[in-house]
Amino acid sequence: MASKSSLPEEDFTCPVCFDIFKDPVLLLCGHSFCKDCLQKFWREKKSKECPVCRRQSSLDEPPLNLSLRNLCESFLKEKSQRASGGSEVLCSLHGERLKLFCLEDKQPVCVVCQASRKHSGHQFLPIDEAAFDYKEQLNAVLDTLQKKLKEFEEVKETCDQTASHIKVQAHQSEKQIKEEFEKLHQFLKDEEEARIRALKEEEEQKSLIMKEKNEEMSKEMSTLSDTITAIEKQMVAEDIIFLQNFKATIERCEISISTCTLQKPQRVSGALIDVAKHLGNLRFRVWEKMKDIVQFTPVVLDPNTADSLLIVSEDLTSFKRTDPRQKLPDNPERFDPYECVLGSEGFNSGSHYWDVEVGNGTDWYVGVTTESNQRKWGTFTWERVWRVGCGPWWDDTGPGHKLEQNLHTLRVHLDLDKGQLSFSDPLQNTHLHTFKHTFTEKVLPFFYSLRSPLSILPLKPSVTIEQRRLC
């Protein structure tokens, strides 16, 4: 009969890694493989087939091939002994081979040690049996540690993705902030230019009026000056000459009087720049005018909660489905694998409403959910989502109401003080459904759409002035 050492090394080699078997498992087809090699092969192939004969395996966890493992261990032991010249480890006290293992002292001993008083009443196992038992124990610990390491590796990978995504978010947000402020700067620049232009136009207009008035006054003053000079000249002439020219002089005076009424010159009213019009409440008037270029939405979306199949718009007011999935960090706040997204702000009290453009979509839910509702597969529950919606994939689980009619716009009214969540059609002014529930924790606006995009509609901002009555 052939000894273990007479077998070729190929009989102890895994056909996947081509190394000596480690924890060999046995498939029903009769082929054996390292446990880790087989699991890795199955993960890569996404099919539980034999790497040799390609026969499908019905076992998720094939049994250990204990006989083959013992043979491999013996083979490695003999191989190690041959490499070291066949030397054996001997008892340091008695010079005998260490054939036994003391279970109490946890150390190898020889047969003489077994009979000594030191080991009186102790239990012993043969070296190979003790090694097998303790390797089983260590294998269990090793398996736990390997699983824990895998968990850390997965979380580390998520952390790396998160760190990269943080930089992307910061870059994109900075770009959008600059673009938004550039629009505001351009508006202020245009408004400044328009107001300066209006000031210049008024300056030119009133300067022209004053120029014309000055020219008219100068003309009248010149006529009067000439008449006055002529009269003064006649007044100092000899009497005979004065009387000879009196008729002409008086006619000239009459002509001058008819030309200039000699009334008191009138100052020009309203000739100055209307400074109050240009500077009065200037900042407020500019701010008031800004309402035409800004928008306010009562609810904005939180992109960190959006499923990776959803793209949230830059202004955080709408989303649509994309394919394939985006590479986003699997942070705890993100839905996976539901096509959902939440509002960025939750509510504990008060009355709130927002309008959602569903655009005649056929697979959507809109409502609210509790902040503590989990977002991952197996932990998320529809029982904590108060919603209305429509579609063939409607889920009857939890507080939901399926709509039969097609809508374009849906109004959500959340009154936490009254414990009501109402839905209506603002275009048709019709009530759709009301949930009565006392919420004991913060709730968040909830949106789900399988196909069509959803948008939160903006409100028209207004500027009001409140005057306080003095006592």
Side-chain angles (χ1 to χ4, degrees), residues 8 258 461:
S258 65

Coordinates of all heavy atoms in Angstrom, one line a residue, residues 8 258 461:
P8 N 1.9 11.9 -5.6 CA 2.5 13.1 -6.2 C 1.9 14.3 -5.7 O 0.7 14.4 -5.2 CB 2.1 12.9 -7.7 CG 0.9 12.0 -7.7 CD 1.1 11.1 -6.5
S258 N -43.6 147.0 -25.0 CA -44.5 146.0 -25.6 C -43.7 144.7 -25.8 O -44.3 143.6 -25.7 CB -45.0 146.5 -26.9 OG -44.0 146.7 -27.9
P461 N -42.7 85.6 -5.3 CA -42.3 86.4 -4.1 C -42.9 87.8 -4.2 O -43.2 88.3 -5.3 CB -40.7 86.5 -4.2 CG -40.5 86.3 -5.7 CD -41.5 85.4 -6.2

